[in-house]
Each structure stands twice: as structure tokens, then as C-alpha cells.
Amino acid sequence: MKKYIVFVLFLSAFTALQAQDLYPEKFSDCHQTRFSFCLDCGDPKASYDGDLVGYFNSVFKKSARKMSGKAFVQVIIDSAGHQCVKSLQHDAGVDVRKLRLKDEINAMTGWHAAVKKGKPVSSSRVMVFSFADGDLSISFRDFDSKNTKNMLSVGKVEISDPSKYKNNLNDKLFHVYTTQNSKVPWDMSRSVSIDQDGTVFQGTDNGIVQVKDGVMTVINQGNSGLRGSNADGGRTTTVMASAVDAQNNKWFSGGYAV
């Protein structure tokens, strides 16, 4: 677990990075004391009771007809079914300020909490607003863990377990990122490297987590030139070591993939 602790320690230096924000435009309305949540968890997942496209077409009216592109909105739905926009991102074709997406979503009623082990839980979901040719479509961006390995939490973080890790560190000063509250695809780190621009690269058994300007991006065999591991039919990429050279090139190696 020592490498995982190093990752947590390193990330704590980035004061702009807030735990559980998926997108660069962040909001502080969702207070952590009220919204302690997991990422896209539950069976069933959090959902809206109604026609989302019809609802937002009536809200947007004519303002969205000339738009094209997508907007991604991370919404927290607490265990009581109350929603709150946590972060968002949009491309150049969508002016979210005109649509007032944050305010409109926060004013909605009719959300249902996710259910986990038979009990309602607070979770976040990503709503994808797609605008094309005057039409609007809305979908949810799911973070599916079924096709990854070692997805479950590996246990208690050692920094907060004095019986295993004796030190004077205060765990309240650190943001702890796990598979339950972020895009991190595995709860242990194989490697951590920092390039000359301050970008973090965390190697895991499920690919690389890039942390740039406070935003996490998972790089794996599905969206890059990384090769999958022979051990599981190429479904995942195990990164065992990483380095950054003098020219700021990034190097990664794994058990069956390089």
C-alpha cells in the first residue's frame, strides 16, 4: 500500500483539486457534510422520474435550437432524492450560461436515489446533453466496472489506520481518491510520475490516471495506443512502472503490455 499512500500524499499538494469533481467547472453548493456520495453506484442507479428530453425542451424553448455539441453535467442525487450540480464541462458549440443548466437542474423535482444493498444512498451521475440540427437528446454517462479487474476497494486507507501505519500525519488534511468517489479505476497505485508541466500520471492495473489542471482522465487500451494485458484477453492494461525523461516524454511499462 505504500505506493498508494505516495499517490494520496502527492495529490494533496494540488489545492485546486477537489475530491469527486469530474469536470473542470466546479461548484461549492453541494456541501460535503450533506453530500457524501459514491460515483455512479447502486442497483438501480439514481434516476429521474419522467421525460428528461421533454422537460428540458420546455425549459430551453427556442434557445437551444441553434446549438450543436455536448455538455456534461455531474449531478449528485442524495439518499433523499435531492439533486445538486457538482461540476460540468461543455464544448465550444454549447453556451451553458445561456441555458442555465446548473440552475435548471437544481430546481427540478422527481429524482430518485440510487439503491445499494437495499438502502438508498447518495451518488453522482453524469448527464450528457447532445445538441444537433435543432434536436436535443439526453443520456447518462455510466462508469461501468464490470469489464475491469480489481475494481473493488482494497480496504481501509493506511494513512488513517494507526495500527498499520504509525506517523504524525493528519488524514483530515488529505483528499483520498478511490473507485467509489472518483474516476480512479483501482484503489492501489503501481507507479506515480510527474512531468515537467506538473501533470500527474498514476499507473494502475486498469490503466493510467492523468491528473491535469485538477481534472482526472483515465487512459487505457480503449482510448489510446496502450496494449491490453494478455492475462485477461486484452480487456485491461496493467501499468507497473512509469518515468518522465529530460525531454518530457512519458514512459510506461507493464507485465504483459508496454
Side-chain angles (χ1 to χ4, degrees), residues 3-11 177 184 189 192 200 202:
K3 289 184 179 180
Y4 177 61
I5 297 303
V6 171
F7 179 58
V8 174
L9 290 174
F10 180 78
L11 284 183
Y177 298 87
V184 172
S189 299
V192 176
V200 183
Q202 174 209 5

Side-chain angles (χ1 to χ4, degrees), residues 122-142:
S122 299
S123 67
S124 75
R125 299 208 70 184
V126 172
M127 299 178 69
V128 182
F129 292 78
S130 301
F131 303 87
D133 300 322
D135 292 327
L136 167 67
S137 64
I138 302 174
S139 60
F140 289 100
R141 182 180 180 184
D142 293 332

Side-chain angles (χ1 to χ4, degrees), residues 138-166:
I138 302 174
S139 60
F140 289 100
R141 182 180 180 184
D142 293 332
F143 295 86
D144 187 5
S145 63
K146 292 181 180 179
N147 292 321
T148 56
K149 58 183 177 179
N150 297 323
M151 194 66 181
L152 296 178
S153 174
V154 296
K156 192 174 183 179
V157 179
E158 289 190 6
I159 195 172
S160 59
D161 189 351
S163 66
K164 291 185 178 181
Y165 196 78
K166 300 183 184 301

Side-chain angles (χ1 to χ4, degrees), residues 48 51-73 91 93-96 99 101 104-105 108 127-140:
Y48 175 71
D51 177 11
L52 282 172
V53 173
Y55 177 88
F56 282 99
N57 270 328
S58 65
V59 169
F60 297 155
K61 297 180 180 178
K62 297 181 180 180
S63 60
R65 291 183 180 178
K66 295 182 180 180
M67 293 185 174
S68 63
K70 293 184 178 182
F72 301 87
V73 186
D91 60 29
V94 179
D95 191 341
V96 173
L99 298 180
L101 266 178
E104 296 296 351
I105 293 174
M108 296 173 70
M127 299 178 69
V128 182
F129 292 78
S130 301
F131 303 87
D133 300 322
D135 292 327
L136 167 67
S137 64
I138 302 174
S139 60
F140 289 100

Side-chain angles (χ1 to χ4, degrees), residues 193-244:
S193 295
I194 313 164
D195 73 5
Q196 297 173 15
D197 301 315
T199 302
V200 183
F201 296 90
Q202 174 209 5
T204 79
D205 274 11
N206 287 329
I208 301 165
V209 180
Q210 173 187 283
V211 185
K212 182 177 182 180
D213 297 329
V215 178
M216 287 185 179
T217 302
V218 177
I219 304 170
N220 54 35
Q221 76 289 347
N223 59 13
S224 73
L226 291 175
R227 287 184 289 169
S229 170
N230 293 336
D232 61 2
R235 291 187 297 111
T236 58
T237 299
T238 298
V239 178
M240 299 296 294
S242 62
V244 178

Side-chain angles (χ1 to χ4, degrees), residues 24-94:
E25 189 168 352
K26 309 173 181 68
F27 305 102
S28 59
D29 309 50
C30 309
H31 301 295
Q32 292 299 99
T33 53
R34 178 185 174 194
F35 291 108
S36 177
F37 60 92
C38 54
L39 175 66
D40 200 30
C41 68
D43 185 15
K45 300 179 186 294
S47 61
Y48 175 71
D49 184 18
D51 177 11
L52 282 172
V53 173
Y55 177 88
F56 282 99
N57 270 328
S58 65
V59 169
F60 297 155
K61 297 180 180 178
K62 297 181 180 180
S63 60
R65 291 183 180 178
K66 295 182 180 180
M67 293 185 174
S68 63
K70 293 184 178 182
F72 301 87
V73 186
Q74 180 191 12
V75 184
I76 302 172
I77 301 93
D78 70 11
S79 57
H82 301 130
Q83 76 282 358
C84 182
V85 172
K86 189 75 168 73
S87 65
L88 62 81
Q89 174 179 305
H90 61 92
D91 60 29
V94 179

